[in-house]
Amino acid sequence: MYDAEKVWRTSEGAGVTVAVIDSGVDASHPDLAGQVLPGKDFTGEGSPHQDNDGHGTGMASLIAGHGHGANDSSGVMGLAPKAKVLPVRIWSTKDTLKPGNWAEGVRYAVEQGASVINLSLNDSAAYPGSKVAKAIEYAQANDVVVVAGTGNDAGTVNYPAALPGVVAVSAVDRGLNFWSKSNTGNVTVAAPGVETPQADPTSRSGYVVADGTSGSTAYISAIVALLRSKYPDLSAGQIINRLIKSAAFVNNEGKKAPDKQLGYGIARPGTALTMDIPAGPKEGPLAQSSPSTSTNSGAASEDSDSTGQTKEENSSPSGSIFLIAGIAAVVIIIAVLFVVIRSRRNGRNGGGPGPGGGIPPQGTGYPPQPPTGHQAYPNSAPNQGYPAAPGQSPQPPNPYAQQPPHQG
């Protein structure tokens, strides 16, 4: 089992700003208090700290969550808990995300000093030469690492992940094997993306668990934040080089890099931070990558959670955009996923999942239309609001903990 505490002895992401271009980030969530910058709302419908869907808050919590309660013993810890999150709100509901209409948000993130941009979304309108593609090129020219999910419909890597120089992230399951719904092709690296814990202001408990490359993308953005904090003199390309050179085909022997499913392997933050890796050219290993030949339209697909319930993905009316994660209510310990709930670390033993868990009302959370596929766990808050005290958060067994020990 991976020990994130060892990672934090080297870096916690301090001094790094990660832009989360998404549905907004709830800055009042107790696991994110103090980590969320002012940001900007590009929807014209509210504040960047307003998140009607929960998706953006979930991504932010995987990146920079710090838990809450006495000694931060409850809630979700992100992999880079000292990084700052810049919320860039480009949609409020699935119907308000317009194809290719978020390029300004990318440029804003660059101007605000973000050195990492997290794109847990797909948009077929972000093809080479488009406004979004040019905005991403602008970010890359300004030494920003752009990270995007490959998609969840078992097709070909979608845009913007398919654009040159973008870190394209696929997902692995609890066995650290390729998750079958991840899109394949020009993949850079993989990260865990099944049953990942996330903060969610739309959930009655304040937490959800998700399947999808949205979560794996957020983990990679967090690893990049750790690296940028530890190695501030390295260029974006050299940071990507460390990410790639330290990845490995854990539990996937026989694969050769670059693999169409896992790219250069599963990212390993501890190894990325400490391995002796030559800096390499400033442009990095992805500089000469050719764009994917993806023709995927980005139509909505489905995710399944650990209970076997189906979760639909968000799709715009034009069918060109979908967000990448479905979720069900829970707080969970995922040490090998580099997410830590400190109550387990402190030796607390809360209740685990069991039969008869209540189901939140349909139409709440993510996706915003029924059926939600949400499964509540024992000890989830029965009403609105967040778990208020240490030891009240549910603590199901770690679904990734049965793997052989491995470095990074």
Coordinates of all heavy atoms in Angstrom, one line a residue, residues 302-400:
E302 N -21.7 6.0 -20.1 CA -22.1 5.6 -18.7 C -21.0 5.1 -17.9 O -20.1 4.5 -18.4 CB -23.2 4.6 -18.7 CG -24.5 5.0 -19.4 CD -25.6 4.0 -19.3 OE1 -25.2 2.8 -19.1 OE2 -26.8 4.3 -19.5
D303 N -21.1 5.4 -16.6 CA -20.1 4.8 -15.6 C -20.9 3.9 -14.7 O -22.1 4.1 -14.5 CB -19.5 5.9 -14.8 CG -18.4 6.7 -15.5 OD1 -18.0 6.2 -16.6 OD2 -18.1 7.8 -15.0
S304 N -20.2 2.9 -14.1 CA -20.8 2.1 -13.1 C -20.1 2.2 -11.8 O -18.9 2.2 -11.8 CB -20.8 0.6 -13.6 OG -21.6 0.5 -14.7
D305 N -20.8 2.3 -10.7 CA -20.1 2.4 -9.4 C -20.0 1.0 -8.8 O -20.3 0.0 -9.4 CB -20.9 3.3 -8.5 CG -22.2 2.8 -8.1 OD1 -22.5 1.6 -8.3 OD2 -23.0 3.6 -7.5
S306 N -19.4 0.9 -7.6 CA -19.1 -0.4 -7.0 C -20.3 -1.2 -6.6 O -20.2 -2.3 -6.3 CB -18.2 -0.1 -5.8 OG -18.9 0.6 -4.8
T307 N -21.5 -0.5 -6.6 CA -22.7 -1.2 -6.3 C -23.4 -1.8 -7.5 O -24.4 -2.5 -7.4 CB -23.7 -0.3 -5.6 OG1 -24.1 0.7 -6.5 CG2 -23.1 0.4 -4.3
G308 N -22.8 -1.6 -8.6 CA -23.4 -2.1 -9.9 C -24.5 -1.2 -10.4 O -25.1 -1.4 -11.5
Q309 N -24.7 0.0 -9.8 CA -25.7 0.9 -10.3 C -25.0 1.7 -11.5 O -23.8 1.9 -11.5 CB -26.1 1.9 -9.2 CG -26.9 1.2 -8.1 CD -27.2 2.2 -7.0 OE1 -26.3 2.9 -6.5 NE2 -28.4 2.2 -6.5
T310 N -25.9 2.2 -12.4 CA -25.3 2.9 -13.6 C -25.4 4.4 -13.3 O -26.4 4.9 -12.8 CB -26.2 2.5 -14.8 OG1 -26.0 1.1 -15.0 CG2 -25.6 3.3 -16.0
K311 N -24.4 5.1 -13.7 CA -24.3 6.5 -13.6 C -24.1 7.1 -15.0 O -23.2 6.8 -15.7 CB -23.2 6.9 -12.7 CG -23.3 6.4 -11.3 CD -22.3 7.0 -10.4 CE -21.0 6.3 -10.7 NZ -20.7 5.1 -9.9
E312 N -25.0 8.0 -15.4 CA -24.9 8.6 -16.7 C -23.9 9.8 -16.7 O -23.6 10.4 -15.6 CB -26.2 9.2 -17.1 CG -27.3 8.1 -17.3 CD -28.6 8.6 -17.6 OE1 -28.7 9.9 -17.8 OE2 -29.6 7.8 -17.8
E313 N -23.3 10.1 -17.8 CA -22.4 11.2 -17.9 C -23.1 12.4 -18.5 O -24.1 12.3 -19.2 CB -21.2 10.8 -18.8 CG -20.4 9.7 -18.1 CD -19.1 9.5 -18.8 OE1 -18.9 10.0 -19.9 OE2 -18.2 8.8 -18.3
N314 N -22.5 13.6 -18.3 CA -23.1 14.8 -18.7 C -22.9 15.0 -20.2 O -21.8 14.8 -20.7 CB -22.5 16.0 -18.0 CG -23.4 16.5 -17.0 OD1 -24.5 16.1 -16.8 ND2 -22.9 17.5 -16.2
S315 N -23.9 15.4 -20.9 CA -23.8 15.7 -22.4 C -24.5 17.0 -22.7 O -25.5 17.3 -22.1 CB -24.4 14.6 -23.2 OG -24.4 14.9 -24.6
S316 N -23.8 17.8 -23.5 CA -24.5 19.0 -23.9 C -25.6 18.7 -25.0 O -25.6 17.6 -25.6 CB -23.5 20.0 -24.6 OG -23.0 19.5 -25.8
P317 N -26.5 19.6 -25.3 CA -27.5 19.4 -26.2 C -27.0 19.0 -27.6 O -27.6 18.3 -28.4 CB -28.3 20.7 -26.3 CG -28.1 21.3 -24.9 CD -26.7 20.9 -24.5
S318 N -25.8 19.6 -28.0 CA -25.2 19.3 -29.3 C -24.5 18.0 -29.3 O -24.1 17.6 -30.4 CB -24.2 20.5 -29.6 OG -23.2 20.4 -28.8
G319 N -24.3 17.4 -28.2 CA -23.6 16.1 -28.1 C -22.1 16.3 -28.2 O -21.4 15.3 -28.4
S320 N -21.6 17.5 -28.1 CA -20.1 17.7 -28.3 C -19.3 17.7 -27.0 O -18.1 17.6 -27.1 CB -19.9 19.0 -29.0 OG -20.3 20.1 -28.3
I321 N -20.0 17.8 -25.9 CA -19.2 17.8 -24.6 C -19.8 16.9 -23.6 O -21.0 16.7 -23.5 CB -19.3 19.3 -24.0 CG1 -18.7 20.3 -25.0 CG2 -18.6 19.4 -22.7 CD1 -18.8 21.7 -24.5
F322 N -18.9 16.2 -22.8 CA -19.4 15.5 -21.7 C -18.4 15.6 -20.6 O -17.2 15.6 -20.8 CB -19.8 14.1 -22.0 CG -18.7 13.1 -22.2 CD1 -18.0 12.5 -21.2 CD2 -18.3 12.9 -23.5 CE1 -17.0 11.6 -21.5 CE2 -17.2 12.0 -23.8 CZ -16.6 11.4 -22.8
L323 N -18.8 15.7 -19.4 CA -18.0 15.6 -18.2 C -17.7 14.1 -17.9 O -18.5 13.3 -18.3 CB -18.6 16.3 -17.0 CG -18.3 17.8 -16.9 CD1 -16.8 18.0 -16.7 CD2 -18.8 18.5 -18.2
I324 N -16.7 13.8 -17.1 CA -16.2 12.5 -17.1 C -16.4 11.7 -15.9 O -15.8 10.7 -15.7 CB -14.7 12.5 -17.5 CG1 -14.5 13.4 -18.7 CG2 -14.1 11.2 -17.8 CD1 -13.0 13.6 -19.0
A325 N -17.2 12.1 -14.9 CA -17.3 11.3 -13.7 C -18.7 11.2 -13.2 O -19.5 12.2 -13.3 CB -16.5 11.9 -12.6
G326 N -19.1 10.0 -12.8 CA -20.4 9.8 -12.1 C -20.0 9.5 -10.7 O -19.0 9.1 -10.4
I327 N -20.9 9.8 -9.7 CA -20.6 9.7 -8.3 C -21.7 9.2 -7.4 O -22.8 9.4 -7.7 CB -20.0 11.1 -7.8 CG1 -20.9 12.2 -8.2 CG2 -18.6 11.3 -8.2 CD1 -20.4 13.6 -7.9
A328 N -21.3 8.6 -6.2 CA -22.2 8.1 -5.3 C -21.8 8.5 -3.9 O -20.6 8.5 -3.6 CB -22.4 6.6 -5.4
A329 N -22.6 8.8 -3.0 CA -22.2 9.4 -1.7 C -21.4 8.5 -0.8 O -21.8 7.4 -0.5 CB -23.4 9.9 -0.9
V330 N -20.2 8.9 -0.3 CA -19.4 8.2 0.6 C -18.1 9.0 0.9 O -17.7 9.8 0.1 CB -18.9 6.8 -0.1 CG1 -18.0 7.0 -1.2 CG2 -18.3 5.9 1.0
V331 N -17.5 8.8 2.0 CA -16.2 9.2 2.3 C -15.4 7.9 2.4 O -15.7 7.0 3.2 CB -16.0 10.0 3.6 CG1 -14.6 10.4 3.8 CG2 -16.9 11.2 3.5
I332 N -14.2 7.8 1.8 CA -13.5 6.5 1.7 C -12.0 6.7 1.8 O -11.5 7.8 1.5 CB -13.9 5.8 0.4 CG1 -13.4 4.3 0.3 CG2 -13.3 6.5 -0.8 CD1 -14.0 3.6 -0.8
I333 N -11.3 5.8 2.2 CA -9.8 5.9 2.4 C -9.2 5.2 1.2 O -9.4 4.1 0.9 CB -9.4 5.2 3.7 CG1 -10.1 5.7 4.9 CG2 -7.9 5.3 3.8 CD1 -10.0 4.8 6.0
I334 N -8.4 6.0 0.5 CA -7.7 5.4 -0.7 C -6.2 5.8 -0.6 O -5.8 6.7 -1.3 CB -8.3 6.0 -2.0 CG1 -9.8 5.9 -2.0 CG2 -7.7 5.4 -3.2 CD1 -10.4 4.7 -2.6
A335 N -5.5 5.1 0.2 CA -4.1 5.4 0.4 C -3.3 5.2 -0.9 O -2.5 6.0 -1.2 CB -3.5 4.6 1.6
V336 N -3.6 4.1 -1.6 CA -2.8 3.8 -2.8 C -3.2 4.8 -3.9 O -2.5 4.9 -4.8 CB -3.0 2.4 -3.2 CG1 -4.3 2.1 -3.9 CG2 -1.9 1.9 -4.1
L337 N -4.3 5.4 -3.8 CA -4.7 6.5 -4.7 C -4.2 7.8 -4.3 O -4.4 8.8 -5.0 CB -6.3 6.6 -4.7 CG -7.1 5.7 -5.6 CD1 -8.5 6.0 -5.4 CD2 -6.6 5.8 -7.0
F338 N -3.4 7.8 -3.2 CA -2.8 9.0 -2.8 C -3.8 10.0 -2.1 O -3.5 11.2 -2.0 CB -2.0 9.8 -3.9 CG -1.4 8.8 -4.9 CD1 -1.6 9.0 -6.2 CD2 -0.6 7.8 -4.4 CE1 -1.1 8.1 -7.1 CE2 -0.1 6.9 -5.3 CZ -0.3 7.1 -6.7
V339 N -5.0 9.5 -1.8 CA -5.9 10.3 -1.1 C -6.0 9.8 0.3 O -6.1 8.6 0.5 CB -7.3 10.3 -1.7 CG1 -8.3 11.0 -0.8 CG2 -7.3 10.9 -3.0
V340 N -5.8 10.6 1.3 CA -5.7 10.1 2.7 C -6.9 10.7 3.5 O -7.1 11.9 3.5 CB -4.4 10.5 3.3 CG1 -4.4 10.2 4.8 CG2 -3.3 9.8 2.6
I341 N -7.6 9.9 4.2 CA -8.5 10.4 5.3 C -7.8 10.2 6.6 O -7.5 9.1 7.0 CB -9.8 9.6 5.2 CG1 -10.5 9.9 3.9 CG2 -10.7 10.0 6.4 CD1 -11.8 9.2 3.8
R342 N -7.5 11.3 7.2 CA -6.6 11.3 8.4 C -7.1 10.4 9.5 O -6.3 10.0 10.4 CB -6.2 12.7 8.8 CG -5.3 13.4 7.8 CD -5.0 14.8 8.4 NE -4.2 15.5 7.4 CZ -2.9 15.8 7.5 NH1 -2.3 15.4 8.6 NH2 -2.3 16.5 6.6
S343 N -8.4 10.2 9.6 CA -8.9 9.5 10.7 C -8.4 8.0 10.7 O -8.2 7.4 11.7 CB -10.4 9.5 10.7 OG -10.9 9.2 9.4
R344 N -8.2 7.5 9.5 CA -7.6 6.1 9.4 C -6.2 6.2 9.9 O -5.7 5.3 10.6 CB -7.7 5.6 8.0 CG -6.9 4.4 7.7 CD -7.3 3.2 8.5 NE -8.6 2.7 8.2 CZ -8.9 1.8 7.2 NH1 -7.9 1.4 6.5 NH2 -10.1 1.5 7.0
R345 N -5.5 7.3 9.5 CA -4.1 7.4 9.8 C -3.9 7.5 11.4 O -3.0 7.0 12.0 CB -3.5 8.6 9.2 CG -2.0 8.8 9.4 CD -1.6 10.2 9.1 NE -2.1 11.1 10.1 CZ -2.1 12.4 9.9 NH1 -1.7 13.0 8.8 NH2 -2.6 13.2 10.9
N346 N -4.9 8.2 12.0 CA -4.9 8.4 13.4 C -5.4 7.2 14.2 O -5.6 7.2 15.4 CB -5.6 9.6 13.8 CG -5.0 10.9 13.3 OD1 -3.8 10.8 13.0 ND2 -5.7 12.0 13.2
G347 N -5.8 6.1 13.5 CA -6.2 4.9 14.2 C -7.7 4.9 14.5 O -8.2 4.0 15.3
R348 N -8.5 5.8 13.9 CA -9.9 5.7 14.1 C -10.6 4.6 13.3 O -10.1 4.3 12.2 CB -10.6 7.1 13.7 CG -10.0 8.2 14.5 CD -10.6 9.5 14.1 NE -10.0 10.7 14.7 CZ -10.3 11.1 15.9 NH1 -11.3 10.5 16.6 NH2 -9.7 12.1 16.4
N349 N -11.6 4.0 13.8 CA -12.3 2.9 13.2 C -13.8 3.2 13.1 O -14.6 2.7 13.9 CB -12.0 1.6 13.9 CG -10.6 1.2 13.9 OD1 -10.0 1.1 12.8 ND2 -10.0 1.0 15.1
G350 N -14.1 3.9 12.0 CA -15.5 4.2 11.8 C -16.2 3.1 11.1 O -15.7 2.1 10.7
G351 N -17.6 3.2 11.0 CA -18.4 2.2 10.3 C -18.1 2.1 8.8 O -17.8 3.1 8.2
G352 N -18.2 0.9 8.3 CA -18.0 0.7 6.9 C -19.3 0.5 6.1 O -20.4 0.7 6.7
P353 N -19.2 0.3 4.8 CA -20.5 0.2 4.1 C -21.3 -1.1 4.5 O -20.7 -2.1 4.9 CB -19.9 0.0 2.6 CG -18.6 -0.5 2.8 CD -18.0 0.0 4.1
G354 N -22.5 -1.0 4.3 CA -23.4 -2.2 4.7 C -24.7 -2.1 4.0 O -25.0 -1.2 3.3
P355 N -25.5 -3.1 4.1 CA -26.8 -3.1 3.4 C -27.7 -2.1 4.0 O -27.6 -1.7 5.1 CB -27.3 -4.6 3.7 CG -26.7 -4.9 5.0 CD -25.3 -4.3 5.0
G356 N -28.6 -1.7 3.1 CA -29.7 -0.8 3.6 C -29.3 0.7 3.6 O -30.0 1.5 4.2
G357 N -28.2 1.1 3.0 CA -27.8 2.5 3.0 C -28.8 3.3 2.3 O -29.4 2.9 1.3
G358 N -29.2 4.5 2.8 CA -30.2 5.3 2.2 C -29.8 5.9 0.9 O -28.6 6.1 0.6
I359 N -30.7 6.1 0.0 CA -30.5 6.7 -1.3 C -30.9 8.2 -1.3 O -32.1 8.5 -1.0 CB -31.3 6.0 -2.4 CG1 -30.9 4.5 -2.4 CG2 -31.0 6.6 -3.8 CD1 -29.5 4.2 -2.7
P360 N -30.0 9.1 -1.6 CA -30.5 10.5 -1.7 C -31.5 10.7 -2.8 O -31.6 9.9 -3.7 CB -29.2 11.2 -2.1 CG -28.1 10.3 -1.7 CD -28.6 8.9 -1.9
P361 N -32.3 11.8 -2.7 CA -33.3 12.0 -3.7 C -32.7 12.0 -5.1 O -31.7 12.6 -5.3 CB -33.9 13.4 -3.3 CG -33.5 13.5 -1.9 CD -32.3 12.8 -1.7
Q362 N -33.4 11.4 -6.1 CA -32.9 11.5 -7.4 C -32.9 12.9 -7.9 O -33.7 13.7 -7.5 CB -33.8 10.6 -8.3 CG -33.6 9.1 -8.0 CD -34.3 8.2 -9.1 OE1 -35.1 8.7 -9.8 NE2 -33.9 7.0 -9.2
G363 N -32.0 13.2 -8.8 CA -31.9 14.5 -9.4 C -30.9 15.4 -8.7 O -30.8 16.5 -9.0
T364 N -30.3 14.9 -7.6 CA -29.3 15.7 -6.9 C -27.9 15.2 -7.2 O -27.8 14.0 -7.5 CB -29.6 15.6 -5.4 OG1 -29.4 14.2 -4.9 CG2 -30.9 16.1 -5.0
G365 N -26.9 16.0 -7.0 CA -25.6 15.6 -7.2 C -25.2 15.5 -8.7 O -25.7 16.3 -9.5
Y366 N -24.4 14.5 -9.0 CA -23.8 14.4 -10.4 C -24.1 13.0 -10.9 O -23.8 12.1 -10.3 CB -22.3 14.6 -10.4 CG -21.7 14.6 -11.7 CD1 -21.6 15.8 -12.4 CD2 -21.4 13.4 -12.4 CE1 -21.0 15.8 -13.7 CE2 -20.9 13.4 -13.6 CZ -20.7 14.6 -14.3 OH -20.2 14.6 -15.6
P367 N -24.7 12.8 -12.1 CA -25.2 13.9 -13.0 C -26.5 14.5 -12.4 O -27.1 14.0 -11.6 CB -25.5 13.2 -14.3 CG -25.8 11.8 -13.9 CD -25.0 11.5 -12.6
P368 N -26.9 15.7 -13.0 CA -28.0 16.4 -12.4 C -29.4 15.9 -12.8 O -30.3 16.6 -12.6 CB -27.7 17.9 -12.9 CG -27.0 17.7 -14.2 CD -26.2 16.5 -14.0
Q369 N -29.5 14.8 -13.4 CA -30.8 14.3 -13.8 C -30.9 12.8 -13.3 O -29.9 12.1 -13.2 CB -31.1 14.4 -15.3 CG -30.3 13.4 -16.1 CD -28.9 13.8 -16.4 OE1 -28.6 15.0 -16.2 NE2 -28.0 12.9 -16.9
P370 N -32.1 12.3 -13.0 CA -32.2 10.9 -12.5 C -32.0 10.0 -13.7 O -32.2 10.3 -14.8 CB -33.6 10.8 -12.0 CG -34.4 11.9 -12.7 CD -33.3 13.0 -13.0
P371 N -31.5 8.7 -13.5 CA -31.2 8.2 -12.1 C -29.8 8.7 -11.7 O -28.9 8.7 -12.6 CB -31.3 6.7 -12.3 CG -30.9 6.5 -13.7 CD -31.5 7.6 -14.5
T372 N -29.6 8.9 -10.5 CA -28.3 9.4 -10.1 C -27.3 8.3 -9.8 O -26.1 8.5 -10.0 CB -28.4 10.2 -8.8 OG1 -28.9 9.3 -7.7 CG2 -29.3 11.4 -8.9
G373 N -27.8 7.1 -9.4 CA -26.8 6.1 -9.1 C -26.1 6.3 -7.8 O -25.1 5.7 -7.5
H374 N -26.6 7.2 -6.9 CA -26.0 7.6 -5.7 C -26.3 6.5 -4.6 O -27.4 6.1 -4.4 CB -26.5 8.9 -5.2 CG -25.8 10.1 -5.9 ND1 -25.6 11.3 -5.4 CD2 -25.4 10.2 -7.2 CE1 -25.1 12.1 -6.3 NE2 -25.0 11.4 -7.4
Q375 N -25.3 6.1 -3.9 CA -25.5 5.1 -2.8 C -24.9 5.7 -1.5 O -23.7 5.9 -1.4 CB -24.7 3.8 -3.2 CG -24.7 2.8 -2.1 CD -26.1 2.3 -1.8 OE1 -26.8 1.8 -2.7 NE2 -26.6 2.4 -0.5
A376 N -25.7 6.0 -0.6 CA -25.3 6.5 0.7 C -24.7 5.4 1.5 O -25.1 4.3 1.5 CB -26.4 7.2 1.4
Y377 N -23.7 5.7 2.4 CA -23.1 4.8 3.3 C -23.5 5.1 4.7 O -23.8 6.2 5.0 CB -21.6 4.8 3.1 CG -21.1 4.1 1.9 CD1 -21.2 4.7 0.7 CD2 -20.6 2.8 2.0 CE1 -20.8 4.0 -0.5 CE2 -20.2 2.1 0.9 CZ -20.3 2.7 -0.3 OH -19.9 2.1 -1.5
P378 N -23.4 4.1 5.6 CA -23.7 4.4 7.0 C -22.8 5.6 7.5 O -21.7 5.7 7.1 CB -23.3 3.1 7.7 CG -23.5 2.1 6.7 CD -23.1 2.7 5.4
N379 N -23.4 6.4 8.4 CA -22.8 7.5 9.0 C -22.7 8.7 8.1 O -22.2 9.8 8.5 CB -21.3 7.2 9.5 CG -21.3 6.2 10.5 OD1 -22.2 6.0 11.3 ND2 -20.2 5.4 10.6
S380 N -23.3 8.6 6.9 CA -23.5 9.8 6.1 C -24.5 10.7 6.8 O -25.4 10.3 7.4 CB -24.0 9.5 4.7 OG -23.0 8.8 4.0
A381 N -24.3 12.0 6.6 CA -25.2 13.0 7.3 C -26.6 12.8 6.7 O -26.8 12.7 5.5 CB -24.7 14.4 7.0
P382 N -27.6 12.6 7.6 CA -29.0 12.4 7.1 C -29.6 13.5 6.4 O -30.6 13.4 5.7 CB -29.7 12.0 8.4 CG -29.0 12.7 9.5 CD -27.6 12.7 9.0
N383 N -29.1 14.7 6.7 CA -29.7 15.9 6.1 C -28.6 16.7 5.4 O -27.4 16.3 5.3 CB -30.3 16.8 7.2 CG -31.4 16.1 7.9 OD1 -32.4 15.6 7.2 ND2 -31.4 16.0 9.2
Q384 N -28.9 17.9 4.9 CA -27.9 18.7 4.2 C -26.8 19.1 5.2 O -27.0 19.2 6.4 CB -28.5 19.9 3.6 CG -29.5 19.6 2.4 CD -30.0 20.8 1.8 OE1 -29.9 21.9 2.4 NE2 -30.7 20.7 0.7
G385 N -25.6 19.4 4.7 CA -24.5 19.8 5.5 C -23.4 18.8 5.5 O -23.5 17.7 4.9
Y386 N -22.3 19.1 6.1 CA -21.1 18.3 6.0 C -20.9 17.5 7.4 O -21.4 18.0 8.4 CB -19.9 19.1 5.7 CG -20.0 19.9 4.5 CD1 -20.0 21.3 4.5 CD2 -20.1 19.3 3.3 CE1 -20.1 22.0 3.4 CE2 -20.2 20.0 2.1 CZ -20.2 21.4 2.1 OH -20.3 22.1 1.0
P387 N -20.2 16.4 7.4 CA -19.9 15.8 8.6 C -19.2 16.8 9.6 O -18.3 17.5 9.2 CB -18.9 14.7 8.2 CG -19.2 14.4 6.8 CD -19.6 15.7 6.2
A388 N -19.7 16.9 10.8 CA -19.2 18.0 11.6 C -18.2 17.7 12.6 O -17.5 18.5 13.2 CB -20.5 18.6 12.4
A389 N -18.0 16.4 12.9 CA -17.0 16.0 13.9 C -16.1 14.9 13.5 O -16.5 14.0 12.7 CB -17.8 15.7 15.2
P390 N -14.9 14.8 14.1 CA -14.1 13.6 13.8 C -14.7 12.3 14.1 O -15.4 12.2 15.1 CB -12.8 13.9 14.6 CG -12.9 15.4 14.9 CD -14.3 15.7 15.0
G391 N -14.5 11.3 13.3 CA -15.0 10.0 13.6 C -16.4 9.8 13.1 O -16.9 8.7 13.1
Q392 N -17.1 10.8 12.5 CA -18.4 10.6 12.0 C -18.4 10.3 10.5 O -19.4 9.8 10.0 CB -19.2 11.9 12.2 CG -19.6 12.2 13.7 CD -20.5 13.4 13.8 OE1 -20.8 14.1 12.8 NE2 -21.0 13.6 15.0
S393 N -17.3 10.5 9.9 CA -17.2 10.2 8.4 C -17.2 8.7 8.2 O -16.5 8.0 9.0 CB -15.9 10.8 7.8 OG -16.0 12.2 8.0
P394 N -17.9 8.2 7.3 CA -17.8 6.7 7.0 C -16.5 6.3 6.5 O -15.8 7.0 5.8 CB -18.9 6.5 5.9 CG -19.0 7.9 5.2 CD -18.7 8.9 6.3
Q395 N -16.0 5.1 6.9 CA -14.7 4.7 6.6 C -14.8 3.2 6.0 O -14.4 2.3 6.7 CB -13.8 4.7 7.8 CG -13.6 6.1 8.3 CD -12.8 6.1 9.6 OE1 -11.8 5.4 9.7 NE2 -13.1 7.0 10.5
P396 N -15.2 3.1 4.8 CA -15.3 1.7 4.2 C -13.8 1.2 4.0 O -12.9 2.0 4.0 CB -15.9 2.0 2.8 CG -16.6 3.3 2.9 CD -15.8 4.1 3.9
P397 N -13.7 -0.1 3.9 CA -12.3 -0.6 3.6 C -11.7 -0.1 2.3 O -12.5 0.3 1.4 CB -12.6 -2.1 3.5 CG -13.9 -2.4 4.2 CD -14.7 -1.1 4.0
N398 N -10.4 0.1 2.3 CA -9.7 0.6 1.2 C -9.8 -0.4 0.0 O -9.2 -1.5 0.1 CB -8.3 0.8 1.6 CG -7.4 1.4 0.4 OD1 -7.9 1.5 -0.7 ND2 -6.2 1.8 0.8
P399 N -10.5 -0.1 -1.1 CA -10.6 -1.1 -2.1 C -9.4 -1.3 -2.9 O -9.3 -2.2 -3.7 CB -11.7 -0.4 -3.0 CG -11.6 1.0 -2.8 CD -11.2 1.2 -1.4
Y400 N -8.4 -0.5 -2.7 CA -7.1 -0.6 -3.4 C -6.0 -1.2 -2.5 O -4.9 -1.3 -2.9 CB -6.6 0.7 -4.0 CG -7.4 1.3 -5.1 CD1 -8.7 1.7 -4.9 CD2 -6.9 1.5 -6.3 CE1 -9.5 2.2 -5.9 CE2 -7.6 2.0 -7.4 CZ -8.9 2.4 -7.2 OH -9.7 2.9 -8.2

